[in-house]
Amino acid sequence: MQPLTRVEGRAIPLGLKNVDTDIIIPAKWLKTISREGLGAGAFEALRAEPGNVIDDPDYAGATLLIAGDNFGCGSSREHAAWALGDMGIRVVIAPSFSDIFSGNAVKNGILPVVLPQDAVDRLLEVAREGVAITVDLESQTVTTPYQDRFTFTIDPFRRECLLGGLDEVGLTMARGEAIGGFEASRTAAQPWLMRGTEAA
Amino acid sequence: MASRPRTLYEKIWDAHVVETRDDGTALIYIDRHLVHEVTSPQAFEALKVAGRPVRRPELTLAVPDHNLPTTARLDAKGAPVPIADPESAAQLAALEVNAPAYGIRYIPATAKEQGIVHVVGPEQGFSLPGTTIVCGDSHTACHGGLGALAFGIGTSEVEHVLATQTLLLQQSKPMEVRVEGDLGPGISAKDLILHIIGTIGAAGGSGYVIEYRGRVFEAMTLEERLTVCNMSIEAGARAGLIAPDDVTFAYLKGRPMAPKGAEWDAAVAYWRTLHSDQGAVFAKSVTINAADVEPSVTWGTSPEDVVAIGGRVPSPDDFADESKRVAAQKSLDYMGLVPGTPMTEVPIENVFIGSCTNSRIEDLRAAAAVLKGRHKAANVRWAIVVPGSGLVKEQAEEEGLDKVFIDAGFEWREPGCSACLGMNPDKVPPGERCASTSNRNFVGRQGPGARTHLVSPAMAAAAAVTGRLADVRELV
């Protein structure tokens, strides 16, 4: 995973609330067996509208996206994070995110930044001017050239994973002994829990 | 730890903590993992590239459902019918190869045990009370109806579970949705959960695991509980739970992968401890009056856009919040609805009975009871029934339900996710409406430009017969 420390760039001022993962990437794009190339299908229905914000040349090359409440709600499809990543998005700023989406985002080097609605509204204003916004994960701040400065909180483990570009699977595999111990006590006390498909 | 009263969620969580990191992140053991063709290929590919094995193949069950066409799977000679779409075929083929290569039990598309993952898990007794259950699908919340902590995960987490049988998680907060009183006659579990989502909102459960409490849930069948918990994700909750009881145990007893003999007795004794303790504290609590629940329908493009069938299409001005006004206007434009229109005057061209929310035998019985001796209205162009599994289909055919549906003008299909999501050939055409027993009315969910109205199976049948959204209580 690509580490993320500081992102400076233009932001797409999407602003909508309840942006679900079907909007981010419709199901017909989910037939792929690869993680690549999903940017082409990102926000497909929205992009069919003339003058839409995603294809607005004022925001070309944007690395940030700003949205309303409950961003990424709905399906667990990680394709939503892959599609955003493929579009070049490294940070999404919103008042709230769905639990599954924010986890998926972090695992793909995309930082979900939670800020109060008034801060998001201010950043939408700045973004609409096509001015760069800076997000710094080390100091946990979002700043603009107009001296706006917002701080955000993030789960420390997620922060560590993003800053270090860590492989969670590798980290957990290193804890194999602890997992084995848990399984052994399980097998002794509640063997039926460990049978799974072999019970049939 | 045992002295403090705990919620059901906290009990299940505590029983699965392998270890806790200094930063509070817990390594949680996963008892059951369901895999389907859409969210797994990249996970298997990552394992292959890194040379990582699957830690406990017997704790994963694989079955295709999302992408699979619901037309006949075998030709007249009994040979498998090839899938026309090359991408879908490749995705199916990947699961068919990946699962056995890693020693994972695979239910093929042509087996009668095949079906929607969330129908198959409980049906096979693979999903059990008190277990942690995950799947690369947000409607995994469904299995909470058995009293399991069940939630959807992304593909990176699918890989994590395959490799380690665990997940790194932050604990959610426990939330209580308490329903007081009893549901009125003709009101279904689907009406109730839509009403709950309409009340608490699409983000009302964000950061929480919901436990549904009250005698309404105790009186429900297991299948009704699955319907309720299934849609917890539509309220933003990570998972939904209903405490297991004798209804649960009776449902599971004798299922192929459920414990047997002395192990069954030990399991039931354990399951009986799985309820929120007296005095357990919920971080958030919402009370719903069951008497307020009417047959529910959605009018917009978020599952929170719920109105009683006797109600009218709302106006954006009805909402106090500016962002909701903007969203409502966009929804109405997309849905082609005029504020103030009675919901019962909204015409329907398509009817879909199916999905992990409502495709079990009781759902099919409820719809068939309305359709018996009736026919779909002339303006209903397309009506399909997609049983949740081959076993549901077989049971329905034994009861003659297939004939009721066919006589009413419905197509009787093979099991799968079908028109719940627009990724297999079953789609609703642009600009047309569908009365659907599925779980999401998002923009483009049932196909580009499709307009979805979420309803119960009986209400879907009522819409088919009348050609409009209709109150099923007037038909029975």
Side-chain angles (χ1 to χ4, degrees), chain B residues 69-91:
Chain B
T70 58
T71 42
R73 306 228 162 107
L74 297 173
D75 65 18
K77 291 177 190 152
V81 176
I83 294 170
D85 177 60
E87 279 190 298
S88 300
Q91 207 169 49

PDB file of all heavy atoms in Angstrom, chain B residues 69-91:
ATOM      1  N   PRO B  69     -26.668 -15.641 -13.898  1.00  0.00           N
ATOM      2  CA  PRO B  69     -28.005 -15.469 -14.486  1.00  0.00           C
ATOM      3  C   PRO B  69     -29.004 -16.389 -13.768  1.00  0.00           C
ATOM      4  O   PRO B  69     -28.619 -17.446 -13.258  1.00  0.00           O
ATOM      5  CB  PRO B  69     -27.810 -15.921 -15.941  1.00  0.00           C
ATOM      6  CG  PRO B  69     -26.336 -15.846 -16.195  1.00  0.00           C
ATOM      7  CD  PRO B  69     -25.683 -16.127 -14.874  1.00  0.00           C
ATOM      8  N   THR B  70     -30.277 -15.995 -13.749  1.00  0.00           N
ATOM      9  CA  THR B  70     -31.278 -16.804 -13.038  1.00  0.00           C
ATOM     10  C   THR B  70     -32.138 -17.617 -14.010  1.00  0.00           C
ATOM     11  O   THR B  70     -33.185 -18.130 -13.642  1.00  0.00           O
ATOM     12  CB  THR B  70     -32.187 -15.901 -12.175  1.00  0.00           C
ATOM     13  OG1 THR B  70     -32.820 -14.946 -13.027  1.00  0.00           O
ATOM     14  CG2 THR B  70     -31.394 -15.184 -11.120  1.00  0.00           C
ATOM     15  N   THR B  71     -31.658 -17.706 -15.247  1.00  0.00           N
ATOM     16  CA  THR B  71     -32.333 -18.569 -16.219  1.00  0.00           C
ATOM     17  C   THR B  71     -31.804 -20.000 -16.060  1.00  0.00           C
ATOM     18  O   THR B  71     -30.855 -20.220 -15.290  1.00  0.00           O
ATOM     19  CB  THR B  71     -32.063 -18.051 -17.638  1.00  0.00           C
ATOM     20  OG1 THR B  71     -30.691 -17.667 -17.719  1.00  0.00           O
ATOM     21  CG2 THR B  71     -32.918 -16.838 -17.953  1.00  0.00           C
ATOM     22  N   ALA B  72     -32.388 -20.951 -16.777  1.00  0.00           N
ATOM     23  CA  ALA B  72     -32.059 -22.379 -16.607  1.00  0.00           C
ATOM     24  C   ALA B  72     -30.551 -22.617 -16.630  1.00  0.00           C
ATOM     25  O   ALA B  72     -29.833 -22.061 -17.462  1.00  0.00           O
ATOM     26  CB  ALA B  72     -32.736 -23.191 -17.693  1.00  0.00           C
ATOM     27  N   ARG B  73     -30.075 -23.431 -15.699  1.00  0.00           N
ATOM     28  CA  ARG B  73     -28.629 -23.672 -15.575  1.00  0.00           C
ATOM     29  C   ARG B  73     -28.209 -24.944 -16.299  1.00  0.00           C
ATOM     30  O   ARG B  73     -27.021 -25.180 -16.517  1.00  0.00           O
ATOM     31  CB  ARG B  73     -28.257 -23.771 -14.091  1.00  0.00           C
ATOM     32  CG  ARG B  73     -28.731 -22.546 -13.333  1.00  0.00           C
ATOM     33  CD  ARG B  73     -27.708 -21.940 -12.443  1.00  0.00           C
ATOM     34  NE  ARG B  73     -28.131 -20.572 -12.132  1.00  0.00           N
ATOM     35  CZ  ARG B  73     -28.613 -20.175 -10.953  1.00  0.00           C
ATOM     36  NH1 ARG B  73     -28.688 -21.027  -9.949  1.00  0.00           N
ATOM     37  NH2 ARG B  73     -28.972 -18.934 -10.774  1.00  0.00           N
ATOM     38  N   LEU B  74     -29.196 -25.800 -16.581  1.00  0.00           N
ATOM     39  CA  LEU B  74     -28.912 -27.043 -17.308  1.00  0.00           C
ATOM     40  C   LEU B  74     -29.776 -27.073 -18.555  1.00  0.00           C
ATOM     41  O   LEU B  74     -30.922 -26.625 -18.537  1.00  0.00           O
ATOM     42  CB  LEU B  74     -29.226 -28.264 -16.424  1.00  0.00           C
ATOM     43  CG  LEU B  74     -28.396 -28.416 -15.142  1.00  0.00           C
ATOM     44  CD1 LEU B  74     -28.936 -29.571 -14.291  1.00  0.00           C
ATOM     45  CD2 LEU B  74     -26.920 -28.640 -15.449  1.00  0.00           C
ATOM     46  N   ASP B  75     -29.216 -27.587 -19.644  1.00  0.00           N
ATOM     47  CA  ASP B  75     -30.020 -27.691 -20.874  1.00  0.00           C
ATOM     48  C   ASP B  75     -30.843 -28.983 -20.845  1.00  0.00           C
ATOM     49  O   ASP B  75     -30.820 -29.727 -19.851  1.00  0.00           O
ATOM     50  CB  ASP B  75     -29.126 -27.578 -22.119  1.00  0.00           C
ATOM     51  CG  ASP B  75     -28.139 -28.728 -22.252  1.00  0.00           C
ATOM     52  OD1 ASP B  75     -28.353 -29.783 -21.586  1.00  0.00           O
ATOM     53  OD2 ASP B  75     -27.156 -28.598 -22.993  1.00  0.00           O
ATOM     54  N   ALA B  76     -31.555 -29.233 -21.933  1.00  0.00           N
ATOM     55  CA  ALA B  76     -32.468 -30.385 -21.986  1.00  0.00           C
ATOM     56  C   ALA B  76     -31.738 -31.710 -21.750  1.00  0.00           C
ATOM     57  O   ALA B  76     -32.320 -32.662 -21.233  1.00  0.00           O
ATOM     58  CB  ALA B  76     -33.177 -30.401 -23.333  1.00  0.00           C
ATOM     59  N   LYS B  77     -30.460 -31.748 -22.107  1.00  0.00           N
ATOM     60  CA  LYS B  77     -29.682 -32.989 -21.923  1.00  0.00           C
ATOM     61  C   LYS B  77     -29.010 -33.055 -20.547  1.00  0.00           C
ATOM     62  O   LYS B  77     -28.259 -33.978 -20.274  1.00  0.00           O
ATOM     63  CB  LYS B  77     -28.613 -33.098 -23.019  1.00  0.00           C
ATOM     64  CG  LYS B  77     -29.206 -33.344 -24.407  1.00  0.00           C
ATOM     65  CD  LYS B  77     -28.082 -33.358 -25.437  1.00  0.00           C
ATOM     66  CE  LYS B  77     -28.657 -33.361 -26.846  1.00  0.00           C
ATOM     67  NZ  LYS B  77     -27.744 -32.743 -27.814  1.00  0.00           N
ATOM     68  N   GLY B  78     -29.241 -32.017 -19.710  1.00  0.00           N
ATOM     69  CA  GLY B  78     -28.644 -32.022 -18.378  1.00  0.00           C
ATOM     70  C   GLY B  78     -27.239 -31.464 -18.326  1.00  0.00           C
ATOM     71  O   GLY B  78     -26.554 -31.564 -17.305  1.00  0.00           O
ATOM     72  N   ALA B  79     -26.804 -30.848 -19.421  1.00  0.00           N
ATOM     73  CA  ALA B  79     -25.460 -30.252 -19.436  1.00  0.00           C
ATOM     74  C   ALA B  79     -25.537 -28.796 -18.991  1.00  0.00           C
ATOM     75  O   ALA B  79     -26.534 -28.113 -19.269  1.00  0.00           O
ATOM     76  CB  ALA B  79     -24.875 -30.339 -20.844  1.00  0.00           C
ATOM     77  N   PRO B  80     -24.500 -28.303 -18.272  1.00  0.00           N
ATOM     78  CA  PRO B  80     -24.526 -26.908 -17.810  1.00  0.00           C
ATOM     79  C   PRO B  80     -24.607 -25.928 -18.983  1.00  0.00           C
ATOM     80  O   PRO B  80     -23.946 -26.105 -19.998  1.00  0.00           O
ATOM     81  CB  PRO B  80     -23.191 -26.745 -17.077  1.00  0.00           C
ATOM     82  CG  PRO B  80     -22.724 -28.134 -16.773  1.00  0.00           C
ATOM     83  CD  PRO B  80     -23.288 -29.014 -17.847  1.00  0.00           C
ATOM     84  N   VAL B  81     -25.462 -24.911 -18.826  1.00  0.00           N
ATOM     85  CA  VAL B  81     -25.602 -23.870 -19.853  1.00  0.00           C
ATOM     86  C   VAL B  81     -24.487 -22.842 -19.640  1.00  0.00           C
ATOM     87  O   VAL B  81     -24.352 -22.307 -18.544  1.00  0.00           O
ATOM     88  CB  VAL B  81     -26.985 -23.176 -19.732  1.00  0.00           C
ATOM     89  CG1 VAL B  81     -27.113 -22.030 -20.728  1.00  0.00           C
ATOM     90  CG2 VAL B  81     -28.102 -24.181 -19.907  1.00  0.00           C
ATOM     91  N   PRO B  82     -23.680 -22.576 -20.680  1.00  0.00           N
ATOM     92  CA  PRO B  82     -22.599 -21.595 -20.494  1.00  0.00           C
ATOM     93  C   PRO B  82     -23.159 -20.190 -20.255  1.00  0.00           C
ATOM     94  O   PRO B  82     -24.246 -19.859 -20.741  1.00  0.00           O
ATOM     95  CB  PRO B  82     -21.811 -21.655 -21.807  1.00  0.00           C
ATOM     96  CG  PRO B  82     -22.541 -22.550 -22.728  1.00  0.00           C
ATOM     97  CD  PRO B  82     -23.739 -23.110 -22.048  1.00  0.00           C
ATOM     98  N   ILE B  83     -22.422 -19.374 -19.499  1.00  0.00           N
ATOM     99  CA  ILE B  83     -22.839 -17.993 -19.229  1.00  0.00           C
ATOM    100  C   ILE B  83     -22.402 -17.119 -20.394  1.00  0.00           C
ATOM    101  O   ILE B  83     -21.232 -17.115 -20.777  1.00  0.00           O
ATOM    102  CB  ILE B  83     -22.246 -17.506 -17.891  1.00  0.00           C
ATOM    103  CG1 ILE B  83     -22.857 -18.333 -16.752  1.00  0.00           C
ATOM    104  CG2 ILE B  83     -22.482 -16.024 -17.682  1.00  0.00           C
ATOM    105  CD1 ILE B  83     -22.211 -18.145 -15.423  1.00  0.00           C
ATOM    106  N   ALA B  84     -23.372 -16.389 -20.960  1.00  0.00           N
ATOM    107  CA  ALA B  84     -23.107 -15.640 -22.191  1.00  0.00           C
ATOM    108  C   ALA B  84     -22.098 -14.503 -21.994  1.00  0.00           C
ATOM    109  O   ALA B  84     -21.205 -14.311 -22.807  1.00  0.00           O
ATOM    110  CB  ALA B  84     -24.419 -15.085 -22.740  1.00  0.00           C
ATOM    111  N   ASP B  85     -22.231 -13.766 -20.894  1.00  0.00           N
ATOM    112  CA  ASP B  85     -21.364 -12.612 -20.680  1.00  0.00           C
ATOM    113  C   ASP B  85     -19.957 -13.092 -20.284  1.00  0.00           C
ATOM    114  O   ASP B  85     -19.793 -13.761 -19.263  1.00  0.00           O
ATOM    115  CB  ASP B  85     -21.951 -11.726 -19.577  1.00  0.00           C
ATOM    116  CG  ASP B  85     -21.055 -10.550 -19.255  1.00  0.00           C
ATOM    117  OD1 ASP B  85     -20.800  -9.755 -20.173  1.00  0.00           O
ATOM    118  OD2 ASP B  85     -20.599 -10.434 -18.105  1.00  0.00           O
ATOM    119  N   PRO B  86     -18.928 -12.742 -21.092  1.00  0.00           N
ATOM    120  CA  PRO B  86     -17.590 -13.302 -20.819  1.00  0.00           C
ATOM    121  C   PRO B  86     -17.007 -12.868 -19.473  1.00  0.00           C
ATOM    122  O   PRO B  86     -16.337 -13.662 -18.805  1.00  0.00           O
ATOM    123  CB  PRO B  86     -16.727 -12.781 -21.980  1.00  0.00           C
ATOM    124  CG  PRO B  86     -17.522 -11.720 -22.660  1.00  0.00           C
ATOM    125  CD  PRO B  86     -18.958 -11.927 -22.314  1.00  0.00           C
ATOM    126  N   GLU B  87     -17.287 -11.620 -19.051  1.00  0.00           N
ATOM    127  CA  GLU B  87     -16.751 -11.168 -17.751  1.00  0.00           C
ATOM    128  C   GLU B  87     -17.382 -11.948 -16.597  1.00  0.00           C
ATOM    129  O   GLU B  87     -16.698 -12.353 -15.656  1.00  0.00           O
ATOM    130  CB  GLU B  87     -17.038  -9.681 -17.549  1.00  0.00           C
ATOM    131  CG  GLU B  87     -16.061  -8.762 -18.245  1.00  0.00           C
ATOM    132  CD  GLU B  87     -16.257  -7.329 -17.797  1.00  0.00           C
ATOM    133  OE1 GLU B  87     -17.355  -6.801 -18.041  1.00  0.00           O
ATOM    134  OE2 GLU B  87     -15.333  -6.752 -17.199  1.00  0.00           O
ATOM    135  N   SER B  88     -18.712 -12.136 -16.676  1.00  0.00           N
ATOM    136  CA  SER B  88     -19.396 -12.906 -15.626  1.00  0.00           C
ATOM    137  C   SER B  88     -18.879 -14.334 -15.600  1.00  0.00           C
ATOM    138  O   SER B  88     -18.631 -14.899 -14.528  1.00  0.00           O
ATOM    139  CB  SER B  88     -20.905 -12.923 -15.877  1.00  0.00           C
ATOM    140  OG  SER B  88     -21.421 -11.631 -15.882  1.00  0.00           O
ATOM    141  N   ALA B  89     -18.716 -14.899 -16.775  1.00  0.00           N
ATOM    142  CA  ALA B  89     -18.229 -16.276 -16.863  1.00  0.00           C
ATOM    143  C   ALA B  89     -16.837 -16.389 -16.245  1.00  0.00           C
ATOM    144  O   ALA B  89     -16.549 -17.341 -15.508  1.00  0.00           O
ATOM    145  CB  ALA B  89     -18.213 -16.729 -18.323  1.00  0.00           C
ATOM    146  N   ALA B  90     -15.988 -15.383 -16.497  1.00  0.00           N
ATOM    147  CA  ALA B  90     -14.623 -15.421 -15.957  1.00  0.00           C
ATOM    148  C   ALA B  90     -14.634 -15.305 -14.435  1.00  0.00           C
ATOM    149  O   ALA B  90     -13.861 -15.966 -13.734  1.00  0.00           O
ATOM    150  CB  ALA B  90     -13.796 -14.280 -16.562  1.00  0.00           C
ATOM    151  N   GLN B  91     -15.567 -14.486 -13.916  1.00  0.00           N
ATOM    152  CA  GLN B  91     -15.633 -14.314 -12.470  1.00  0.00           C
ATOM    153  C   GLN B  91     -16.121 -15.598 -11.789  1.00  0.00           C
ATOM    154  O   GLN B  91     -15.577 -16.012 -10.763  1.00  0.00           O
ATOM    155  CB  GLN B  91     -16.577 -13.151 -12.153  1.00  0.00           C
ATOM    156  CG  GLN B  91     -16.254 -12.475 -10.863  1.00  0.00           C
ATOM    157  CD  GLN B  91     -17.005 -11.186 -10.685  1.00  0.00           C
ATOM    158  OE1 GLN B  91     -18.215 -11.138 -10.873  1.00  0.00           O
ATOM    159  NE2 GLN B  91     -16.311 -10.141 -10.307  1.00  0.00           N
TER     160      GLN B  91
END
